[in-house]
């Protein structure tokens, strides 16, 4: 019932910027947190950034100072502003929502389809 739709990926030169978007839709009662994750070929999926309903944020050490996660709660949308991009940022980026689908139901993880980010000259 719940789906996450991502956009904003693409090819960018080192030092450039991209802004990823992820909109949650469907039957959702409450979203506790939204996150961005990435996976490069041959690597494990890595948690990049977290935004909670209380307004707190957390980042992986590899992106601190360069990436910013933000939310539009009215639209159930999360963004990832990526600046000073490096070739090692190249990966498929996935949106994740930790959401309660209905009153009285337990939290469930929902995942987007992923969007490719390639940093190369």
């Amino acid at each position: 019932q719940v789906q996450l739709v991502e956009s904003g990926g693409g090819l960018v030169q080192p030092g450039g910027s991209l802004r990823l978007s992820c909109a949650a839709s469907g039957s959702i009662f409450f979203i506790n947190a939204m996150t961005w994750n990435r996976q490069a070929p041959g690597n494990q999926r890595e948690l990049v950034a977290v935004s909670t309903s209380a307004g707190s944020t957390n980042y992986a050490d590899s992106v601190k100072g360069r990436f910013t996660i933000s939310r539009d709660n009215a639209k159930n949308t999360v963004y990832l502003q990526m600046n000073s991009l490096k070739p090692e940022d190249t990966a498929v980026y996935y949106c994740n929502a930790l959401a309660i689908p209905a009153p009285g139901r337990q939290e469930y993880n929902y995942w987007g389809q992923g969007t490719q980010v390639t940093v190369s000259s």
Side-chain angles (χ1 to χ4, degrees):
Q1 285 182 287
V2 177
Q3 61 179 313
L4 305 179
V5 179
E6 299 161 307
S7 62
L11 175 64
V12 65
Q13 295 182 350
S17 298
L18 284 174
R19 191 190 192 209
L20 306 182
S21 300
C22 174
S25 63
S27 298
I28 304 172
F29 177 65
F30 188 77
I31 298 178
N32 289 321
M34 300 190 77
T35 79
W36 285 99
N37 308 259
R38 67 186 183 186
Q39 187 168 18
N43 290 358
Q44 299 287 339
R45 189 168 297 187
E46 174 191 17
L47 178 64
V48 173
V50 178
S51 176
T52 73
S53 61
S56 65
T57 59
N58 288 284
Y59 300 91
D61 288 341
S62 58
V63 307
K64 285 181 179 177
R66 300 187 298 119
F67 290 12
T68 302
I69 188 170
S70 60
R71 296 176 67 179
D72 185 337
N73 291 326
K75 298 181 181 294
N76 286 334
T77 299
V78 65
Y79 306 91
L80 186 67
Q81 178 67 46
M82 304 184 294
N83 298 325
S84 302
L85 283 163
K86 306 174 181 179
E88 49 262 47
D89 295 319
T90 296
V92 177
Y93 283 71
Y94 297 91
C95 177
N96 162 249
L98 290 75
I100 300 173
R105 302 293 186 267
Q106 292 189 337
E107 183 182 87
Y108 189 82
N109 281 351
Y110 300 90
W111 290 89
Q113 78 286 348
T115 184
Q116 177 70 49
V117 172
T118 302
V119 185
S120 176
S121 59

